[in-house]
């Protein structure tokens, strides 16, 4: 199988890497995280100028139409750059939800605002019970509009969002509703995640206009597709972090001298770094597989590959992250070295969009249901 990328895809990845290396240093990132907002509007505007916010919007809608492979390459580079702005939450997941469900003027307005950086949207989906489907959030007809009630947890980047795309049960189906973050009846409890990013738990009891629902059909199929593509992109983000933390560890063991020799010459440490390399390559293979599955129409095969990737990349994140910190010694947890920031981002990755255990259990259930 040919895993090489086209010249355009390689140029896209190279241009993002050059931008991050020149404009998004660790010092710059630390200043952003130390601020009250936890993100940079100017960086967001620059991402829009580079076209990254329109990366996964179809060309017919005025976007770039890079698809899952282009999104994977961008996410991998953004992960390696430790970007804290809501690229994954807004430009990947929320944009895909809107692209799949919205129609007419609503579609034009939402996608235009997201692509230009004028607005940020995030999907509010996790309910702390079953990650794959909303159970307790409901929406019911109320007069000419809707009454939305429920609670969402671990909503990444919600504090900086203009719109919350809220999944909820509508009768026997599922709908997605566009809710202003500051609307009456929306209560956010903001917090910082382990890697310094912003997230929130959100309670809803809000009255909405009739046109706030994205589309009028059952959204389960579109929502599943957007979530799968989002997980594949999140795995690519983690892969970028894994590449960076492995390279930093190898370089550190070459530079660190003890008793007259570089510690990287010690065979025991070489074996540990060889194991780290194997974990990273397995994560790369599964990320590619999940991305390829997102190009296919078979929803079951896509979900299989995505769950498998989240498990394998999650296991690699834990193994490689812990080994990197141990090989650095006490320096591995200081803010002066990028390895500590990579470790925290990998730790957060394991818990986003369903943890490793949830995806392993879901995959097991898929296999058992077919065998029955």
């Amino acid at each position: 199988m040919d895993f090489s990328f086209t010249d355009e895809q390689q140029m896209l990845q190279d241009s993002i890497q050059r931008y991050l290396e020149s404009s998004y240093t660790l010092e710059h990132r630390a200043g952003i995280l130390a601020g009250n907002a936890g993100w940079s509007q100017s960086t967001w505007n620059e991402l829009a100028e580079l076209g990254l916010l329109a990366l996964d919007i179809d060309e017919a809608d005025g976007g770039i139409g890079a698809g899952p492979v282009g999104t994977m390459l961008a996410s991998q580079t953004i992960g390696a750059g430790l970007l804290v702005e809501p690229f994954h939450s807004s430009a990947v997941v929320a944009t895909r939800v809107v692209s799949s469900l919205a129609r007419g003027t609503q579609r034009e307005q939402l996608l235009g605002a997201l692509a230009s950086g004028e607005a940020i949207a995030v999907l509010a989906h996790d309910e702390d019970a079953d990650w794959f489907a909303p159970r307790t959030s409901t929406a019911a007809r109320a007069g000419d509009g809707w009454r939305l009630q429920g609670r969402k947890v671990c909503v990444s980047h919600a504090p900086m969002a203009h719109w919350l795309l809220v999944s909820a049960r509508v009768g026997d189906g599922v709908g997605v509703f566009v809710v202003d973050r500051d609307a009456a009846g929306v209560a956010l409890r903001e917090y910082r995640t382990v890697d310094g990013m912003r997230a929130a738990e959100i309670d809803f009891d809000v009255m909405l206009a009739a046109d706030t629902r994205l589309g009028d059909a059952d959204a389960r199929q579109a929502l599943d597709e957007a979530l799968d593509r989002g997980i594949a992109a999140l795995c690519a983000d983690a892969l970028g972090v894994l590449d960076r933390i492995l390279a930093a560890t190898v370089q550190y063991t070459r530079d660190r001298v003890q008793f007259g020799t570089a510690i990287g010459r010690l065979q025991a440490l070489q074996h540990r770094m060889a194991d780290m390399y194997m974990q990273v390559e397995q994560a790369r293979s599964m990320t590619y597989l999940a991305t390829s599955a997102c190009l296919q129409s078979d929803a079951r095969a896509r979900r299989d590959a995505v769950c498998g990737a989240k498990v394998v990349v999650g296991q690699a994140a834990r193994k490689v992250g812990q080994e990197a910190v141990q090989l650095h010694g006490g320096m591995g947890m200081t803010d002066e070295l990028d390895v500590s920031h990579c470790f925290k981002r990998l730790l957060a990755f394991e818990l986003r969009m369903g943890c490793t255990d949830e995806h392993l259990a879901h995959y097991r259930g898929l296999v058992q249901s077919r065998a029955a």
Side-chain angles (χ1 to χ4, degrees):
M1 185 175 289
D2 183 9
F3 288 110
S4 59
F5 303 112
T6 66
D7 290 342
E8 286 185 346
Q9 291 168 339
Q10 196 61 59
M11 287 173 61
L12 169 68
Q13 191 172 36
D14 292 344
S15 65
I16 301 170
Q17 184 174 356
R18 284 195 299 273
Y19 164 72
L20 293 173
E21 288 178 349
S22 62
S23 305
Y24 210 80
T25 63
L26 273 183
E27 292 75 17
H28 179 69
R29 179 179 183 272
I32 294 172
L33 289 177
N36 292 329
W39 71 297
S40 166
Q41 180 69 59
S42 61
T43 297
W44 193 246
N45 294 339
E46 290 168 356
L47 295 180
E49 291 173 4
L50 289 171
L52 296 184
L53 306 187
L55 199 63
D56 202 23
I57 297 176
D58 295 340
E59 291 181 278
D61 293 315
I64 295 177
V69 176
T71 302
M72 179 193 74
L73 293 174
S75 298
Q76 184 180 350
T77 312
I78 282 171
L82 299 175
L83 193 85
V84 298
E85 279 65 28
F87 172 78
H88 178 267
S89 298
S90 184
V92 177
V93 179
T95 297
R96 176 47 46 186
V97 171
V98 173
S99 295
S100 299
L101 292 173
R103 297 291 180 267
T105 304
Q106 183 191 51
R107 178 189 185 88
E108 183 179 344
Q109 291 176 343
L110 293 177
L111 289 180
L114 293 174
S116 67
E118 176 186 340
I120 293 171
V122 300
L123 178 65
H125 180 69
D126 195 346
E127 294 188 352
D128 205 18
D130 181 355
W131 190 85
F132 292 93
R135 291 192 173 194
T136 59
S137 297
T138 59
R141 283 288 185 184
D144 295 333
W146 297 90
R147 182 177 183 181
L148 175 66
Q149 295 175 295
R151 181 172 184 267
K152 301 291 184 179
V153 301
C154 302
V155 184
S156 297
H157 298 111
M160 59 200 70
H162 300 85
W163 299 317
L164 307 169
L165 308 183
V166 185
S167 60
R169 299 191 65 83
V170 182
D172 294 332
V174 172
V176 178
F177 297 83
V178 182
V179 181
D180 287 343
R181 183 200 59 185
D182 297 326
V186 178
L188 271 73
R189 287 182 294 281
E190 303 178 13
Y191 58 87
R192 295 189 186 208
T193 57
V194 66
D195 57 345
M197 295 198 200
R198 303 303 198 269
E201 295 181 0
I202 313 174
D203 287 310
F204 297 93
D205 188 357
V206 58
M207 301 301 297
L208 302 172
D211 61 357
T212 54
R213 182 177 181 180
L214 293 178
D216 53 10
D218 189 347
R220 277 179 290 199
Q221 185 175 349
L223 195 56
D224 281 347
E225 192 232 359
L227 292 171
D228 288 345
R229 290 176 68 153
I231 293 171
L234 192 62
C235 289
D237 184 291
L239 177 60
V241 185
L242 287 168
D243 282 331
R244 178 167 178 167
I245 199 171
L246 176 60
T249 303
V250 171
Q251 188 60 51
Y252 179 78
T253 60
R254 287 173 176 166
D255 297 339
R256 182 82 167 98
V257 176
Q258 282 282 31
F259 306 111
T261 186
I263 62 173
R265 296 179 65 84
L266 302 175
Q267 192 175 47
L269 301 192
Q270 290 177 349
H271 286 171
R272 292 174 70 173
M273 287 184 281
D275 288 341
M276 292 169 65
Y277 175 78
M278 291 297 294
Q279 292 276 342
V280 173
E281 291 309 306
Q282 287 175 356
R284 192 184 317 280
S285 298
M286 289 304 294
T287 301
Y288 287 6
L289 177 64
T291 303
S292 299
C294 290
L295 293 166
Q296 302 170 5
S297 58
D298 187 339
R300 179 176 291 183
R302 186 187 68 221
R303 179 55 60 87
D304 281 358
V306 164
C307 285
K310 191 66 167 63
V311 171
V312 172
V313 179
Q315 292 171 340
R318 175 163 298 197
K319 171 71 173 177
V320 175
Q322 290 178 348
E323 287 282 30
V325 170
Q326 291 176 16
L327 290 173
H328 276 79
M331 291 293 292
M333 289 308 293
T334 62
D335 285 344
E336 285 72 19
L337 297 185
D338 55 358
V339 65
S340 70
H341 304 284
C342 292
F343 175 77
K344 292 172 186 174
R345 191 169 179 117
L346 291 173
L347 189 59
F349 159 78
E350 250 199 294
L351 303 175
R352 285 185 68 184
M353 301 194 81
C355 69
T356 300
D357 288 344
E358 285 178 288
H359 282 278
L360 191 59
H362 191 77
Y363 185 84
R364 187 187 306 119
L366 291 173
V367 172
Q368 290 174 341
S369 67
R370 283 174 215 151

